[in-house]
Amino acid sequence: MFAELSITSNFTFLTGGSHPEEYVRRAAAMGMGALAIADVNSVAGIVRAHVECREVARLVALRQAFDAEHGLIGPPRPAHIPAPPSADIFTVPRLLPAARIVLADGFSATLLPRDRAAWGRLCRLLTLGRRRAPKGDCLLRMEDLLEWGKGCEMLLHPPQQAPGPDGGADGWGKQAQRLTRRFPAQVHLVLAPRYDGQDGARFTALSALAKQLDIPTVASAAPLMHHSRRRRMLDVLTAIREGLRVDALGRRAQPNAEQRLRSEAEMHRLFAGHEDAIARTAEIAARCTFSLDELRYEYPSEIAEGESPTDRLSRLAHEGLADRYPEGIPPRVSRLMAHELTLIAKLKYEPYFLTVRDVVAFARSRGILCQGRGSAANSVTCYALGVTSVSPEIGTMVFERFVSEARNEPPDIDVDFEHERREEVIQHIYNRYGRHRAGLCATVIHYRGKRAIREVGHAMGLSEDTISAMSSQVWGWGGGGLRDERLREIGLDPRDRRLAQVLELCDEIQGFPRHLSQHVGGFIMTEGRLDELVPVENATMEDRTVICWDKDDIDALGILKVDVLALGMLTCIRKALGLLDQHLQIDHNLASIPAEDSRVYDMLCRADSLGVFQVESRAQMNFLPRMKPRSFYDLVIQVAIIRPGPIQGDMVHPFIRRRNGEEAVTFPSDELGEVLGKTLGVPLFQEQAMQIAIIGAGFTPDEADRLRRSLATFKKHGNVSDFHGRFVKGMLDKGYDRDFAERCFSQIEGFGSYGFPESHAASFALLVYASSWLKCHHPGIFACALLNAQPMGFYAPAQIVRDAREHGVEVRPVCVNASFWDNTMEPDGRGGLALRLGFRQIKGFGEEEAGWLTAARGNGYRAVEDIWRRAGTPPKLIVKLAEADAFASIGLPRRQALWAAKAITADKPLPLFANDMDGEAIYEAPVTLPEMSLGEEVVEDYVALRLSLRAHPMALLRHKLTPLAPSEQTG
């Protein structure tokens, strides 16, 4: 059977016109035996094709089962028998991983690895080229290809101008001869049609050249698209890539729609007289036995000092559990951990848990606060290892729901670190494993909404005004298209031919990959060389390297990923705990903060939660008095309930009515009662939605897993709705109401946008409680830490300071003699602590200059000039200090300090003071400056500090806004 060996997908960004998945589907419909996705210097899209081949295999199995059920052997199908699932899918094509290598001098060859070792060499080759070049580029030379090409089938692409009969007479021929001598029996010459009427003569000339080089020919359609209807899209992509309009492309536009995936029959028609080149495609495909399935289970072994991973995990877990329970481990906890360790050992996941534990242990050794969350983070094992501080008595999750034999994939654990110090953890991982064993995942940036309108609109020649008007009507991810009435409202005619074309192309380009970016923190680590598993390349950020696969690709291959994420609240909590220890000698960590404090819950019931993690938004504040949380698990629900899933599924109001006793707690069935009991019969968590699919809608574990995966890819592909009919029908068949079924599925769709499982909610709830406890019992310290962790959260420093003062905290202004870079706590003279604002609050004032200023302060500054002379602070920064009224403590009001600062014009003071003719120092005559009004002071405070301790701006206008009493009204 014919195999297409040189396909360009849209992961050759802005060049290929079809998704890898589309090529696989089309090949399956054509009955093609094998295909190779060979993007330029990249294997970024290969996993998408691999996953689609799995899906095609599943559909073919369904078709075969359907035919067997109906006693069908083959076509024609009787009229009374319905069409089977995916009636257009006939065969399962075999995917051949490949890459088209383009050297710096333009020489091009498609490389197809024959086995796992050859795949490793191909990845090393691509890594070499990518690491030499800036992000997005690849710099390779012939010497690199000669060094790393062993074991790969090489398909040489002739240049646009075909070489003469003597293959060695030009540069291309000499390059080809070097390859044929180095890799005999691996090199082939590609015959690819150009559809210009000269293909027959060209094939004959190239066959003669191949004979001269003593290499065989191989046929390829060299497709850029899976179907001819993508021709317009290819032109649009070319225009975007070249920065031109479509109508200005000239020869760069596609001359026709012929460069598409071809069936075997079409190839025989195109290559009449060269059928041997077609036959060789199958021979090459047969020699390439490598599959991406071979890349699984290459986790770091985590063997330390001869101790096996199983023994090491067991030892660390039991030691950690003893530390967690110094007065004795509860029997239930011991049983749970024994059960978990048994299951972990059975599935050989010990290295995963050890890797996460070691990353967390490093952070804790450096005093970096961290907290784990995710599918298995809230287990007894992770609690014992220190990955999470959520007690197992609180968690209600079943371990098998996340680590099971049925799923046969590693659990998912995310670890949040202080956002200011996460880079230390990232560099530790690189240093420990090496760049050749660790790298961040990629994130594929797709065309969505506004980007699609902007770039397609420019390519199609729309004016800037038109593009701006259209993009203003698109919110979020878009993808829904612009309705005709919306276009008319903004003054556009939907019947305009050019506009209609743009809208069609915008819909078509939705989901197309645009480029690769860096994942927020997903690390992949391997036992062997990572660069023999997948190519590694430079990221835009300095000292970062990334792989070309995203988290969905990694998940599909079952490869280890640890999410090293940043969380601002952890920075705030760590700083607050440090201030507690420094000033009050109170030593706490996340696990030791006093639990279930009634005063904390009283504060939350009043919605006094400004600055508190997760419950500080207006929506959460409005819900807190209705929820009235009185326990930790109430906080778990509070975190998860104000989310698109429960809100879209209309689950919020029924839950509150049941919680307040206004509505009876009922369950749709006894089976679902076990799933929904803890949430009063209302599904709120992602895990519950999955359990409803299995128990209520009769989903198989495989179907539920595909539904779960569709949630993660909802933004890119929107395929959650594909399960709607199956889900609703399954619930109706089991006797549930359609309304309940529709609401449940609506919630699942909401999770597709912002899924929030119970395991994440429990970890976040711990941070909610910790930040609430700090705010409740130590509002000044909490406000100080919150200011020092900025930027983060919903509220500006002015609101944080106002809230602290309302809680009785004395806040003192920035002072050249008392402030440091960070905001600090200092004795208030009454046995308490006052919050002193730091130099970080001054707009435009840097940390380095603050360090010099405080280091040279000594016993204090007495004049503006002292800072200039002693600290070497530049005059422009002294002006900023004066504008912030930082000299008030030495008796200089803002205007006088600013007058003195403006008098300093030199960058550095002279070594000696200047004298006049009589030997006296030159002094400027004193001036009298008018005092600033309160309103002027407040305005200047906000300009310099973005807050004011003098008055709220509205207080100055209140007398004008308050209506007069009736008795005061006259006339």
Side-chain angles (χ1 to χ4, degrees):
M1 298 174 69
F2 167 69
E4 178 53 69
L5 302 179
S6 192
I7 293 173
T8 301
S9 80
N10 54 12
F11 276 81
T12 299
F13 302 116
L14 301 180
T15 299
S18 295
H19 296 278
E21 300 94 325
E22 291 175 319
Y23 280 115
V24 171
R25 284 280 184 128
R26 184 72 172 161
M30 289 177 169
M32 190 175 292
L35 76 161
I37 303 295
D39 287 307
V40 173
N41 294 331
S42 174
V43 293
I46 198 69
V47 181
R48 310 295 173 95
H50 179 70
V51 172
E52 189 63 23
C53 283
R54 289 180 185 171
E55 178 65 11
V56 167
R58 187 185 69 85
L59 293 174
V60 169
L62 286 176
R63 179 191 180 93
Q64 292 170 348
F66 182 92
D67 287 348
E69 179 184 349
H70 292 85
L72 301 175
I73 299 176
R77 184 173 305 278
H80 66 282
I81 300 297
S86 300
D88 59 331
I89 301 298
F90 294 98
T91 60
V92 182
R94 190 162 63 87
L95 177 67
L96 307 178
R100 181 165 177 171
I101 303 300
V102 178
L103 305 182
D105 60 5
F107 188 91
S108 177
T110 295
L111 268 60
L112 298 98
R114 295 175 177 173
D115 51 30
R116 174 65 180 87
W119 169 262
R121 286 188 286 271
L122 174 61
C123 291
R124 293 283 295 273
L125 173 66
L126 291 171
T127 299
L128 183 66
R130 293 283 182 177
R131 291 298 308 277
R132 281 178 182 158
K135 178 184 178 295
D137 292 334
C138 186
L139 180 59
L140 288 170
R141 305 178 183 91
M142 177 56 67
E143 287 70 22
D144 305 320
L145 191 54
L146 293 169
E147 180 179 359
W148 297 103
K150 181 182 177 183
C152 288
E153 297 285 342
M154 296 185 181
L155 314 184
L156 308 187
H157 297 270
Q160 286 292 104
Q161 246 354 83
D166 181 5
D170 61 8
W172 184 91
K174 291 178 181 177
Q175 299 276 59
Q177 286 178 340
R178 294 181 68 187
L179 285 175
T180 57
R181 287 195 296 266
R182 183 66 176 271
F183 305 113
Q186 286 184 224
V187 183
H188 316 264
L189 184 65
V190 174
L191 306 183
R194 295 184 189 168
Y195 312 103
D196 58 358
Q198 304 299 317
D199 284 337
R202 185 179 298 108
F203 292 161
T204 300
L206 289 175
S207 296
L209 174 61
K211 188 174 182 180
Q212 187 76 23
L213 293 170
D214 195 24
I215 59 175
T217 57
V218 62
S220 171
L224 292 175
M225 52 188 162
H226 78 293
H227 195 281
S228 59
R229 62 174 175 265
R230 285 287 167 82
R231 178 196 171 185
R232 290 191 311 171
M233 179 56 64
L234 283 175
D235 286 343
V236 169
L237 293 172
T238 303
I240 294 172
R241 185 179 73 244
E242 300 291 339
L244 300 171
R245 290 173 43 160
V246 169
D247 53 13
L249 285 177
R251 292 180 178 271
R252 282 172 281 202
Q254 288 294 310
N256 48 52
E258 300 298 316
Q259 203 166 350
R260 61 182 186 271
L261 193 64
R262 298 283 186 169
S263 67
E264 185 168 3
E266 289 178 301
M267 291 296 287
H268 278 284
R269 177 176 57 82
L270 291 170
F271 287 85
H274 299 275
E275 287 79 3
D276 56 334
I278 298 175
R280 287 192 192 96
T281 63
E283 297 170 6
I284 293 172
R287 290 196 294 269
C288 296
T289 60
F290 171 69
S291 167
L292 291 184
D293 287 326
E294 299 177 43
L295 301 183
R296 195 163 179 166
Y297 303 124
E298 299 197 6
Y299 306 141
S301 64
E302 299 299 346
I303 296 174
E305 299 178 357
E307 193 175 23
S308 72
T310 302
D311 293 340
R312 183 171 175 237
L313 179 64
S314 178
R315 175 178 59 81
L316 291 173
H318 283 96
E319 290 174 357
L321 206 58
D323 291 338
R324 293 289 197 185
Y325 296 96
E327 298 179 1
I329 303 170
R332 174 178 172 272
V333 175
S334 292
R335 288 194 303 271
L336 280 173
M337 193 172 77
H339 171 67
E340 292 176 5
L341 289 175
T342 300
L343 185 58
I344 291 170
K346 186 175 183 179
L347 299 175
K348 303 185 185 304
Y349 291 157
E350 299 97 335
Y352 181 86
F353 285 88
L354 288 171
T355 298
V356 177
R357 180 264 172 194
D358 288 348
V359 172
V360 169
F362 165 80
R364 297 196 194 285
S365 72
R366 295 291 183 92
I368 302 171
L369 198 61
C370 57
Q371 169 72 355
R373 57 185 169 92
S375 60
N378 295 91
S379 61
V380 179
T381 303
C382 285
Y383 182 65
L385 295 174
V387 173
T388 180
S389 297
V390 177
S391 170
E393 287 89 349
I394 295 168
T396 60
M397 288 71 70
V398 179
F399 193 62
E400 283 84 353
R401 195 176 301 174
F402 313 112
V403 181
S404 70
E405 295 180 72
R407 281 172 56 181
N408 193 28
E409 61 185 34
D412 179 34
I413 299 177
D414 302 343
V415 186
D416 294 310
F417 297 88
E418 299 174 39
H419 75 300
E420 291 182 354
R421 302 186 65 187
R422 181 179 68 134
E423 190 63 25
E424 295 177 43
V425 180
I426 288 176
Q427 293 305 320
H428 161 72
I429 293 174
Y430 281 130
N431 292 335
R432 181 186 174 194
Y433 292 96
R435 300 276 168 169
H436 63 292
R437 291 182 60 203
L440 285 163
C441 292
T443 293
V444 181
I445 305 301
H446 296 83
Y447 274 102
R448 290 291 167 197
K450 294 180 183 292
R451 182 191 289 272
I453 288 175
R454 289 194 196 102
E455 297 200 4
V456 173
H458 282 126
M460 293 295 289
L462 297 185
S463 67
E464 286 290 345
D465 290 344
T466 301
I467 293 171
S468 297
M470 291 172 65
S471 63
S472 69
Q473 303 303 306
V474 176
W475 295 92
W477 288 89
L482 292 174
R483 296 192 301 272
D484 288 356
E485 55 267 28
R486 297 295 298 161
L487 292 171
R488 292 190 180 96
E489 287 177 9
I490 58 177
L492 299 176
D493 182 4
R495 297 170 299 178
D496 180 81
R497 178 174 171 273
R498 178 63 62 90
L499 186 61
Q501 280 186 330
V502 170
L503 293 174
E504 289 175 13
L505 289 164
C506 285
D507 287 340
E508 192 173 359
I509 206 173
Q510 296 292 323
F512 260 57
R514 175 62 171 77
H515 59 273
L516 292 181
S517 185
Q518 175 186 301
H519 189 266
V520 292
F523 255 105
I524 174 173
M525 292 160 268
T526 57
E527 173 67 9
R529 296 188 67 103
L530 175 62
D531 55 8
E532 291 184 353
L533 178 73
V534 57
V536 178
E537 58 187 82
N538 296 319
T540 302
M541 290 184 65
E542 188 177 358
D543 291 331
R544 296 277 186 92
T545 50
V546 300
I547 64 172
C548 63
W549 293 338
D550 72 2
K551 61 183 182 64
D552 294 328
D553 300 331
I554 296 304
D555 189 39
L557 295 176
I559 295 173
L560 170 75
K561 175 174 70 71
V562 177
D563 281 320
V564 179
L565 306 174
L567 193 61
M569 182 49 68
L570 285 173
T571 304
C572 171
I573 292 175
R574 195 263 304 164
K575 291 185 176 183
L577 294 177
L579 290 170
L580 269 181
D581 189 22
Q582 176 185 348
H583 294 284
L584 302 177
Q585 291 72 54
I586 298 175
D587 184 13
H588 274 317
N589 55 42
L590 281 177
S592 66
I593 290 175
E596 303 299 86
D597 189 321
S598 60
R599 289 177 57 191
V600 172
Y601 291 113
D602 291 340
M603 182 189 78
L604 291 175
C605 288
R606 298 192 302 268
D608 184 7
S609 60
L610 188 146
V612 173
F613 183 63
Q614 286 287 307
V615 294
E616 63 177 342
S617 70
R618 288 302 176 191
Q620 291 278 10
M621 284 183 171
N622 288 333
F623 192 73
L624 278 168
R626 299 166 62 196
M627 178 70 185
K628 298 182 179 66
R630 303 305 309 178
S631 68
F632 182 83
Y633 197 74
D634 287 346
L635 296 182
V636 176
I637 293 175
Q638 176 76 36
V639 167
I641 198 168
I642 305 299
R643 302 279 169 178
I647 292 172
Q648 183 174 316
D650 193 25
M651 305 298 181
V652 178
H653 297 296
F655 176 82
I656 286 298
R657 288 196 298 267
R658 294 184 178 197
R659 181 176 172 83
N660 295 337
E662 301 169 7
E663 179 180 306
V665 177
T666 59
F667 302 104
S669 68
D670 292 339
E671 287 180 318
L672 289 183
E674 297 180 6
V675 177
L676 303 175
K678 59 193 173 186
T679 54
L680 308 181
V682 179
L684 298 177
F685 299 111
Q686 188 178 27
E687 294 92 338
Q688 291 176 311
M690 297 299 98
Q691 290 296 100
I692 290 173
I694 294 172
I695 296 173
F699 273 43
T700 64
D702 180 62
E703 288 176 316
D705 193 55
R706 286 190 289 114
L707 174 59
R708 179 184 64 84
R709 292 179 188 277
S710 74
L711 297 179
T713 58
F714 178 83
K715 292 180 180 179
K716 289 180 275 189
H717 305 296
N719 59 350
V720 178
S721 58
D722 295 347
F723 294 89
H724 177 268
R726 168 75 178 88
F727 184 91
V728 173
K729 182 179 183 299
M731 296 204 76
L732 293 178
D733 290 345
K734 290 204 170 191
Y736 297 102
D737 293 335
R738 176 175 287 275
D739 179 63
F740 178 75
E742 292 285 357
R743 284 193 296 121
C744 285
F745 193 81
S746 179
Q747 186 208 20
I748 290 175
E749 287 191 299
F751 275 124
S753 294
Y754 297 93
F756 211 81
E758 184 183 15
S759 54
H760 287 262
S763 293
F764 276 177
L766 181 66
L767 302 184
V768 173
Y769 183 83
S771 54
S772 298
W773 186 88
L774 289 166
K775 179 180 174 70
C776 178
H777 293 282
H778 306 281
I781 284 176
F782 180 69
C784 181
L786 202 58
L787 289 170
N788 289 339
Q790 293 296 306
M792 57 166 285
F794 283 80
Y795 298 100
Q799 295 165 297
I800 296 170
V801 168
R802 178 192 58 77
D803 182 71
R805 297 175 82 179
E806 288 182 356
H807 285 79
V809 178
E810 180 187 351
V811 183
R812 295 176 174 177
V814 178
C815 173
V816 292
N817 285 326
S819 292
F820 294 85
W821 168 249
D822 276 333
N823 302 279
T824 55
M825 304 301 295
E826 61 186 32
D828 63 0
R830 301 182 300 275
L833 294 172
L835 169 57
R836 172 70 68 178
L837 296 181
F839 295 118
R840 67 157 54 233
Q841 302 304 140
I842 301 176
K843 187 176 180 181
F845 200 85
E847 183 175 3
E848 183 180 355
E849 288 301 331
W852 285 106
L853 188 153
T854 54
R857 186 157 54 198
N859 293 326
Y861 299 109
R862 297 184 179 182
V864 172
E865 292 84 357
D866 287 351
I867 296 177
W868 177 55
R869 292 192 181 103
R870 288 158 54 182
T873 303
K876 64 179 181 180
L877 294 183
I878 297 177
V879 169
K880 290 187 178 296
L881 290 170
E883 290 172 339
D885 202 18
F887 295 96
S889 64
I890 60 175
L892 286 177
R894 178 181 269 122
R895 277 182 174 164
Q896 290 187 13
L898 191 57
W899 182 273
K902 292 284 188 180
I904 302 173
T905 57
D907 289 336
K908 295 181 180 180
L910 295 173
L912 298 174
F913 294 110
N915 293 330
D916 61 11
M917 295 299 293
D918 298 326
E920 298 291 331
I922 299 175
Y923 294 102
E924 186 174 308
V927 295
T928 302
L929 301 173
E931 292 186 7
M932 297 178 70
S933 67
L934 177 60
E936 290 174 323
E937 294 276 18
V938 169
V939 168
E940 291 303 318
D941 283 343
Y942 271 92
V943 169
L945 300 167
R946 292 161 289 194
L947 61 89
S948 177
L949 302 179
R950 290 179 169 85
H952 193 283
M954 290 304 299
L956 306 175
L957 304 174
R958 183 65 63 193
H959 65 284
K960 296 184 178 181
L961 301 177
T962 303
L964 296 175
S967 59
E968 297 176 293
Q969 295 180 4
T970 58

